[in-house]
Amino acid sequence: MDKITAVKGIKDILPSETPRWQKVETTARAIFERFGFHEIRVPIMEKTALFQRSIGEATDIVEKEMYTFRDRDEELLTLRPEATACVIRAYVEHNLASAEPVTKLFTIGPMFRRERPQKGRYRQFHQIDVEVFGDDTPASDAEVIFMLMHFLDVAGVENLSLEINSLGCKDCRPGFSRAVVAYLGQFQDGLCPDCQRRLTTNPLRVFDCKVEACGRIISDAPRILDHLCPECLDHFDRVKGFLDDLNLEYAVNSNMVRGLDYYTKTAFEVKSGKLGAQNSLAGGGRYDGLVALLGGPDVAGVGFGIGMERLLACLPDTEENVGKTDIFVAALGTRALKFAFKLTGLLRRSGFTAATDYSGKSLKSQMKRADKMQSAFTLIIGDSEMDSGRAVLRNMKTKNQQDLLLESLPEALINILKSEVIL
């Protein structure tokens, strides 16, 4: 019978890898909470209309990449391709704005997009997502960017660059869009099919095209910064001022757009020199008006998302504490096994990683398993040790051994492990 394998583009995260994931997630939670953020956990599946309305029906995500299906009652459902819309849906549905005027939330979990799998890009991928609702000030933008860069620094990511831009608002962006369409219309035949389509559906998305021929044409296209209204220009200048106050290095990239329709004003992206051509590690920006669009109050919003797989690819290879055991109990014989079962349970309750073998294998086989589990100590106990009232404790690193009395064995082991093993 043929074995069943994982779906293409969806990978397992094996026990040897999970400690690195856990370390990054623990770091994120600690830093975000320090900035006043609280974790929210939202479903991986939502009504399709949520993403059609928030992301925009003319985007590649909605048109090509979403995993969408009809439920038995004919309701159209989608596996979430991004988290912002999900968090907003929960924020609105549970009226979180009534509890706190400025609400700071983060979530960590899997997202789903049906695109060609490649290094650092999977059909099931994971994101760290951060959102702030109810604060429309430039200081909030700068604080979110600062927290992002601080987290990446503490997580151990090096060779980073921060790019920022302003995407304008509903007052100044239409004029910019018309200018872009008028300019690109002169070179329409030289654009790729996707960009030709975008000219009528979503003109600003042409700036994100990776086709070399399109890039040459776009390099001379109008710039959004030349079309900002006074309010958006002032907002962007103040964001830059706050970043300067925090001594954060950044570059203004007037060609940068975000891949989702809902962004307004400040947009930002963090790139890593370790990721090659697909070098975007994290990105986000302001999305004033999106909460109201999804049926909530008319409050401002700003946030970012970090690709976990890409972040981990940027981290240096380190040996994490994978599968290491504080003590292995090598038990030989029925009485010894019964004693070992009770002893390992007590040691685990005391906070130590303890293991034993119930199969009755030879001492040599059990010592090999203790080595494989990188056990700091091995306790050897068989029928003769049960009769003599003593067990042998072996330090697996130094190979030194000592006899311990069975009647006081738990207390003695706990004291030894406390002095030798970091809890």
Side-chain angles (χ1 to χ4, degrees), residues 31 76 96 105 143 253 327 333 340 366 374 385 407 409 419:
I31 290 176
L76 210 56
L96 298 184
L105 303 171
E143 182 182 87
N253 179 1
I327 184 167
Q366 293 195 52
Q374 303 180 63
E385 285 78 16
E407 61 183 10
L409 183 59
S419 65

Side-chain angles (χ1 to χ4, degrees), residues 3 20 113 152 168 185 190 199 245-246 296 302 329 331 361 374 392:
K3 65 179 180 181
R20 299 182 80 226
R113 294 187 189 177
L152 293 174
L199 276 181
D245 291 340
L246 293 168
V302 62
V329 181
K361 292 179 180 177
Q374 303 180 63
V392 178

Side-chain angles (χ1 to χ4, degrees), residues 189-403:
D189 292 342
L191 296 174
C192 70
D194 278 341
C195 283
Q196 291 180 11
R197 175 178 52 83
R198 288 165 182 156
L199 276 181
T200 57
T201 60
N202 197 348
L204 301 191
R205 296 297 299 126
V206 300
F207 286 95
D208 202 33
C209 184
K210 302 298 188 291
V211 176
E212 188 176 340
C214 294
R216 288 194 295 269
I217 294 171
I218 293 165
S219 63
D220 292 326
R223 296 289 180 265
I224 180 64
L225 296 180
D226 297 327
H227 292 260
L228 294 181
C229 65
E231 181 186 347
C232 288
L233 187 59
D234 177 67
H235 186 101
F236 191 50
D237 286 341
R238 291 171 65 194
V239 169
K240 291 186 289 183
F242 282 119
L243 294 178
D244 292 336
D245 291 340
L246 293 168
N247 295 317
L248 274 184
E249 294 185 5
Y250 61 87
V252 175
N253 179 1
S254 58
N255 273 341
M256 184 184 69
V257 297
R258 299 300 305 144
L260 306 172
D261 278 359
Y262 52 62
Y263 284 109
T264 60
K265 295 184 179 176
T266 308
F268 54 89
E269 191 167 347
V270 181
K271 297 180 178 180
S272 169
K274 296 192 69 175
L275 289 175
Q278 298 288 335
N279 61 355
S280 179
L281 173 61
R286 178 162 290 284
Y287 46 84
D288 299 346
L290 181 58
V291 177
L293 180 67
L294 295 178
D298 189 12
V299 298
V302 62
F304 63 77
I306 307 171
M308 279 285 288
E309 283 84 356
R310 292 189 173 202
L311 189 157
L312 290 164
C314 293
L315 296 179
D317 293 329
T318 56
E319 182 182 349
E320 302 293 345
N321 189 21
V322 181
K324 292 185 178 180
T325 307
D326 298 328
I327 184 167
F328 182 90
V329 181
L332 304 166
T334 304
R335 286 185 297 158
L337 277 171
K338 186 176 179 66
F339 184 89
F341 180 83
K342 183 177 180 180
L343 178 63
T344 52
L346 187 150
L347 292 172
R348 289 163 179 164
R349 281 201 300 267
S350 300
F352 300 101
T353 305
T356 190
D357 189 318
Y358 302 127
S359 65
K361 292 179 180 177
S362 67
L363 178 60
K364 181 178 180 181
S365 177
Q366 293 195 52
M367 294 300 287
K368 284 184 177 179
R369 186 176 176 196
D371 271 332
K372 189 173 183 179
M373 297 178 73
Q374 303 180 63
S375 183
F377 291 90
T378 297
L379 183 75
I380 303 169
I381 181 168
D383 287 340
S384 60
E385 285 78 16
M386 294 294 294
D387 291 336
S388 67
R390 292 176 178 272
V392 178
L393 182 67
R394 181 181 178 88
N395 186 312
M396 299 297 285
K397 184 177 181 180
T398 66
K399 310 304 181 185
N400 293 331
Q401 296 187 170
Q402 59 180 306
D403 290 348

